Amino acid sequence: MRPRIPFVPRTAALSPVALAGGALAVGVGGLYLAGLLLAGGEIEVGTTVRGVAIGGLTREEAARKLERHLVAAGPRELAVRLGDREGTVDPRRAGLAFDIGETLDRAVSTGADPVSVIGGLFRSGGEIEPVVRVDGSKARAALGKLAKSLDQEARDGSVSFTGGHVEQTVPRTGYALDVDASIDALRAPFLRGSAGSVTELPSHETRPKVTAEEVRRAVREFAQPAMSAPVTLTAGGKRFTLPPTVLDDYLTMRPDDTGRLTPELDTKGLRAAPAVTGALNDLPTTPRNARLGLEGGKVAVTADAVSAVEVTDKALGKAVLPLLTESGAARTGEVDARRTQPELTRENAARLGLTEKLSSFTVDFEPAAYRTTNVGRAVELINGSLVMPDETWSFNRTVGERTKANGFVDGIMIYDDQYTKAPGGGVSAVATTVFNAMFFAGVKPVEHGAHSFYIERYPEGREATVAWGSLDLRFANDSGKAVYIQAESTDTSVTITFLGTKKYDEITSVKGPRTGVRQPETKVSDDGQCVPQTPLEGFDVTVERVFRTDGREVRREPFHTRYAPRNEIICEEAPREH
């Protein structure tokens, strides 16, 4: 019997390569385990952040240390520049800070890949850049506030004039802070934290339209010549000089659409300047007709006509500007003055038909200071009136309102059928004289009215009164030629003469009898303006204007007038109150 042999399991043979691989796996795993055990969640030895050593510390320990040292080491302010202006940014107000958590994430090896963990067994840590965190809303607020002090508008170059001298303004580029781009631009200087450095912030740039080169050209070609000497002008025969110290108040240089500086002259202001008005104020601003009179029964020119001379703002500027770039005697010129010729001159008087006397009438009156003043003023305004064919002459338009401003004083006149005090009293004597001159000149009456009651010094039915705003004296010149009115007065009379060409040989007046006679009443008045009045009966009367040519009657024109009774007015003093 054979002896029993024990059973041994069969084992496969391993190759040398397999054996080596197994050993390597055991070694790497051991190293990884060793690295993890060695690190244990600590920062790599030798690791620093901005000079603060955190190697070998746990994350929590490193965080506390960085909070104490890193934050305190950050910059207190950042110097910035925008264009040529500088300012500072407070990092805290701008939301700039070191992100401790993100920074430590860079340094802590826990959770890293096996290669990094194993690598940690054979190397020490290094310098870690801190991570910068920016609060966008705070940064925009801080930069928006900063922009108010750093932004600057573009400034055009310019040329101005002061005290007869030229002044230049240097152009400047405009800058507007680009807030969004500036937020990222602050990260680097905050991280760098170096004192004394200035950060150029991003901006939107605006170039000036008028360049420095254009300013130099404008000064050379216009400004300096303009202020080099006075200019001398002649206008309407008047000569005057404008020195640079006068011109500079009204002279400017403004840019056109291309940025070129061009001169501008305030012609309206210059025309009103004393240096100009003082020389030109004596020039006649309205034309004055020739004055006519009678010499030996014939019409003669007693005073020559005067043309109006107007120097407009535009004409003044047109004369001045070209002279400003001239020199010497060439800085002298003449203003193109506008002349307005009068209607009546020595040369055209006869052509207008002003060759003979048509009529003349005189009214006498009792002397009174107010009457002399008011009659004289009305005569002054009427004298020289020229009425062309088919034109209508108006007493109120010619004389104007009878006010103190117009040269009239208070006097006695008829109002509400009785005498009263009012401005212009006595002017009715002039109106009556004009009416009678018109009557016998044969021209056509358009509007007239008699006094409410009869005044003994005037012809019955051939007299007129006027009232501003209610009653005028007007006639139309239907003679076919011009009519000239000559007016004269003394302290006791007024004379009106019509000159022209006769249409009829003779014009006479025929007065009819008084009819419808009415008796006056007696009234007592305590009005402070009361004027005593004598009684006179009222009546109706008709006057006929008779036209004759070649010795025969051509036609008759009736004028009917109704006069109210002139009541007796007794003035008494008003009773006093007790």
Side-chain angles (χ1 to χ4, degrees):
M1 184 178 223
R2 293 181 180 178
R4 208 183 234 192
I5 299 173
F7 173 77
V8 179
R10 193 171 186 179
T11 302
L14 296 174
S15 69
V17 174
L19 290 172
L24 178 59
V26 172
V28 171
L31 289 174
Y32 179 63
L33 178 60
L36 290 175
L37 292 173
L38 180 61
E42 296 176 351
I43 309 299
E44 294 179 12
V45 176
T47 300
T48 61
V49 178
R50 189 58 66 84
V52 179
I54 59 172
L57 300 179
T58 65
R59 183 184 180 94
E60 291 73 17
E61 291 171 337
R64 287 194 295 272
K65 189 172 184 180
L66 289 178
E67 288 286 354
R68 291 194 306 272
H69 297 283
L70 183 60
V71 175
R76 297 296 179 187
E77 64 179 23
L78 300 174
V80 295
R81 180 188 297 114
L82 186 70
D84 58 1
R85 295 182 179 181
E86 293 188 355
T88 58
V89 174
D90 183 335
R92 290 167 298 176
R93 292 184 180 276
L96 290 164
F98 291 115
D99 191 326
I100 302 300
E102 289 289 336
T103 302
L104 289 175
D105 284 346
R106 292 184 176 183
V108 175
S109 56
T110 302
D113 61 273
V115 175
S116 297
V117 172
I118 296 170
L121 295 172
F122 304 102
R123 58 178 168 79
S124 60
E127 177 67 16
I128 301 295
E129 280 292 326
V131 176
V132 177
R133 181 182 67 249
V134 181
D135 185 324
S137 61
K138 286 186 176 181
R140 285 185 178 83
L143 288 171
K145 184 177 181 180
L146 180 68
K148 294 180 179 179
S149 61
L150 295 187
D151 283 0
Q152 62 181 13
E153 293 184 358
R155 181 181 65 202
D156 283 335
S158 64
V159 175
S160 58
F161 306 92
T162 304
H165 300 287
V166 180
E167 293 187 354
Q168 305 177 45
T169 299
V170 178
R172 180 183 66 196
T173 300
Y175 297 94
L177 183 66
D178 186 336
V179 173
D180 289 335
S182 296
I183 294 175
D184 287 334
L186 291 176
R187 291 177 181 271
F190 178 77
L191 183 61
R192 187 169 59 248
S194 54
S197 64
V198 180
T199 300
E200 190 76 34
L201 294 179
S203 64
H204 301 292
E205 192 176 283
T206 305
R207 295 287 182 180
K209 185 166 62 174
V210 181
T211 65
E213 181 181 356
E214 173 57 19
V215 170
R216 290 190 293 271
R217 182 207 62 79
V219 169
R220 180 179 66 255
E221 295 182 6
F222 179 81
Q224 286 182 340
M227 294 292 104
S228 63
V231 295
T232 301
L233 299 167
T234 302
K238 298 285 186 177
R239 186 179 176 90
F240 58 100
T241 298
L242 301 177
T245 50
V246 170
L247 291 168
D248 66 4
D249 285 338
Y250 310 101
L251 190 62
T252 54
M253 297 198 76
R254 300 189 185 279
D256 61 16
D257 293 338
T258 66
R260 182 181 177 85
L261 290 170
T262 57
E264 286 187 10
L265 184 64
D266 175 9
T267 55
K268 183 177 181 180
L270 182 60
R271 178 63 182 84
V276 178
T277 58
L280 302 183
N281 275 356
D282 290 338
L283 293 175
T285 56
T286 56
R288 189 173 67 224
N289 285 329
R291 289 300 172 103
L292 304 182
L294 290 171
E295 293 182 1
K298 294 184 178 182
V299 174
V301 175
T302 59
D304 280 320
V306 177
S307 301
V309 180
E310 182 185 8
V311 177
T312 64
D313 305 342
K314 184 177 180 180
L316 182 63
K318 190 175 180 180
V320 170
L321 273 174
L323 301 181
L324 296 180
T325 52
E326 301 292 345
S327 60
R331 294 177 74 88
T332 300
E334 184 162 356
V335 182
D336 185 13
R338 181 188 300 166
R339 291 184 177 273
T340 304
Q341 300 299 326
E343 288 184 289
L344 174 60
T345 65
R346 179 182 294 273
E347 293 73 25
N348 72 358
R351 291 198 306 272
L352 292 175
L354 302 173
T355 59
E356 58 186 330
K357 180 173 73 172
L358 300 181
S359 64
S360 187
F361 197 83
T362 299
V363 167
D364 297 315
F365 48 77
E366 292 295 323
Y370 79 85
R371 192 177 282 126
T372 298
T373 297
N374 292 338
V375 168
R377 177 57 177 157
V379 162
E380 178 186 5
L381 294 168
I382 292 172
N383 188 38
S385 294
L386 181 68
V387 190
M388 300 300 285
D390 299 322
E391 283 186 352
T392 297
W393 183 87
S394 160
F395 187 100
N396 281 344
R397 184 176 65 241
T398 303
V399 174
E401 188 173 2
R402 273 67 81 186
T403 63
K404 290 182 180 180
N406 195 22
F408 293 90
V409 297
D410 286 350
I412 305 300
M413 64 182 297
I414 298 174
Y415 181 76
D416 249 358
D417 294 337
Q418 66 182 55
Y419 288 120
T420 188
K421 294 178 182 178
V427 168
S428 63
V430 183
T432 291
T433 311
V434 172
F435 178 84
N436 278 274
M438 174 214 72
F439 185 97
F440 291 106
V443 291
K444 180 182 178 181
V446 174
E447 179 183 359
H448 73 282
H451 290 85
S452 58
F453 55 74
Y454 178 60
I455 300 174
E456 293 92 322
R457 63 176 174 269
Y458 299 146
E460 291 182 19
R462 239 181 41 231
E463 48 89 13
T465 187
V466 287
W468 181 260
S470 60
L471 180 60
D472 198 1
L473 171 59
R474 296 187 296 145
F475 69 86
N477 178 13
D478 59 349
S479 70
K481 300 289 184 179
V483 169
Y484 180 90
I485 303 177
Q486 183 182 19
E488 303 170 288
S489 67
T490 68
D491 289 345
T492 59
S493 69
V494 54
T495 300
I496 301 294
T497 302
F498 277 36
L499 306 178
T501 299
K502 288 183 177 181
K503 189 174 180 180
Y504 302 94
D505 292 344
E506 184 183 28
I507 296 175
T508 58
S509 173
V510 177
K511 181 180 77 69
R514 293 183 179 184
T515 60
V517 176
R518 296 169 293 281
Q519 298 303 313
E521 299 177 2
T522 298
K523 296 184 178 181
V524 178
S525 173
D526 60 6
D527 190 321
Q529 298 294 317
C530 178
V531 176
Q533 188 169 286
T534 59
L536 184 70
E537 63 185 17
F539 59 91
D540 298 341
V541 67
T542 297
V543 174
E544 290 183 308
R545 180 163 63 164
V546 182
F547 300 82
R548 288 185 173 86
T549 297
D550 296 330
R552 63 184 181 84
E553 182 178 314
V554 176
R555 65 187 180 96
R556 289 190 176 218
E557 184 179 14
F559 292 80
H560 304 289
T561 304
R562 166 167 285 196
Y563 292 111
R566 187 174 70 201
N567 294 323
E568 182 180 16
I569 303 295
I570 300 173
C571 299
E572 292 186 353
E573 186 176 345
R576 297 180 181 178
E577 296 182 1
H578 297 284

Coordinates of all heavy atoms in Angstrom, one line a residue, residues 11 46 58 94 104 135 137 212 270 274 305 322 367 371 377 383 472 506:
T11 N -0.4 27.2 -7.3 CA -0.3 28.6 -7.4 C 0.4 28.9 -8.7 O 1.4 28.4 -9.0 CB 0.5 29.3 -6.3 OG1 -0.2 28.9 -5.0 CG2 0.5 30.8 -6.4
G46 N 6.0 76.9 3.9 CA 6.7 77.9 3.1 C 5.7 78.8 2.3 O 6.2 79.7 1.5
T58 N -3.7 75.6 9.5 CA -4.9 75.1 8.9 C -5.6 76.3 8.2 O -5.2 77.4 8.3 CB -5.9 74.6 10.0 OG1 -6.2 75.7 10.9 CG2 -5.2 73.5 10.9
A94 N -15.0 102.1 -2.5 CA -15.2 101.6 -3.9 C -15.5 100.1 -4.0 O -15.5 99.6 -5.0 CB -13.9 102.0 -4.7
L104 N -7.2 81.5 0.0 CA -6.8 80.3 0.6 C -7.1 79.1 -0.2 O -6.4 78.0 -0.1 CB -7.6 80.1 2.0 CG -7.1 81.1 3.1 CD1 -8.0 81.0 4.3 CD2 -5.6 80.9 3.4
D135 N -17.0 95.0 -5.2 CA -18.4 95.2 -5.1 C -18.8 96.2 -6.2 O -18.5 97.4 -6.1 CB -18.8 95.7 -3.8 CG -20.3 95.8 -3.6 OD1 -21.0 96.1 -4.5 OD2 -20.8 95.6 -2.4
S137 N -21.6 97.6 -7.3 CA -22.5 98.7 -7.1 C -21.7 99.8 -6.3 O -21.9 101.0 -6.6 CB -23.7 98.3 -6.3 OG -23.3 97.7 -5.0
A212 N -5.2 124.7 -31.5 CA -4.2 125.8 -31.2 C -3.7 126.4 -32.5 O -3.4 127.6 -32.6 CB -3.1 125.1 -30.4
L270 N -22.4 148.8 -31.8 CA -21.5 149.8 -32.2 C -22.2 151.0 -32.7 O -21.7 152.2 -32.4 CB -20.6 149.2 -33.4 CG -19.5 150.2 -33.9 CD1 -18.5 150.5 -32.8 CD2 -18.8 149.5 -35.1
P274 N -21.3 155.7 -27.8 CA -21.1 157.1 -27.8 C -20.2 157.7 -28.9 O -20.4 158.8 -29.4 CB -20.6 157.4 -26.4 CG -21.1 156.2 -25.6 CD -21.1 155.1 -26.5
A305 N -34.8 172.6 -48.8 CA -35.1 171.3 -48.3 C -33.9 170.6 -47.7 O -32.8 170.9 -48.1 CB -35.7 170.4 -49.4
P322 N -13.9 145.5 -43.3 CA -12.8 145.4 -44.2 C -11.6 146.2 -43.8 O -10.4 145.9 -44.2 CB -13.4 145.9 -45.5 CG -14.9 145.7 -45.4 CD -15.1 146.0 -44.0
P367 N -55.8 188.8 -26.3 CA -54.5 188.2 -25.8 C -54.7 187.5 -24.5 O -55.5 187.9 -23.7 CB -53.6 189.4 -25.7 CG -54.5 190.6 -25.5 CD -55.7 190.3 -26.3
R371 N -53.6 181.2 -24.7 CA -54.0 181.2 -26.1 C -52.8 181.4 -27.0 O -52.6 180.8 -28.0 CB -55.0 182.3 -26.3 CG -55.7 182.2 -27.7 CD -56.8 183.3 -27.8 NE -58.0 182.9 -27.1 CZ -58.6 183.7 -26.2 NH1 -58.1 184.9 -25.9 NH2 -59.7 183.3 -25.6
R377 N -48.2 176.9 -30.8 CA -47.7 175.5 -31.0 C -48.5 174.8 -32.2 O -47.9 174.1 -33.0 CB -48.0 174.7 -29.7 CG -47.7 173.2 -29.8 CD -46.2 173.0 -30.2 NE -45.9 171.6 -30.2 CZ -44.9 171.0 -30.8 NH1 -44.1 171.8 -31.6 NH2 -44.7 169.7 -30.8
N383 N -47.5 174.6 -40.1 CA -46.8 175.3 -41.1 C -45.9 174.4 -41.9 O -45.2 173.5 -41.4 CB -45.9 176.4 -40.4 CG -45.2 177.3 -41.4 OD1 -45.8 177.7 -42.4 ND2 -44.0 177.6 -41.1
D472 N -62.8 166.0 -36.0 CA -61.6 166.4 -36.7 C -62.0 167.5 -37.7 O -63.1 167.7 -38.0 CB -60.9 165.2 -37.4 CG -59.5 165.4 -37.8 OD1 -58.9 166.5 -37.5 OD2 -58.9 164.5 -38.3
E506 N -62.4 182.8 -58.8 CA -62.9 183.5 -57.6 C -63.8 182.6 -56.8 O -64.6 181.9 -57.4 CB -63.6 184.8 -58.0 CG -64.0 185.6 -56.8 CD -64.8 186.9 -57.2 OE1 -65.5 186.8 -58.3 OE2 -64.8 187.9 -56.5

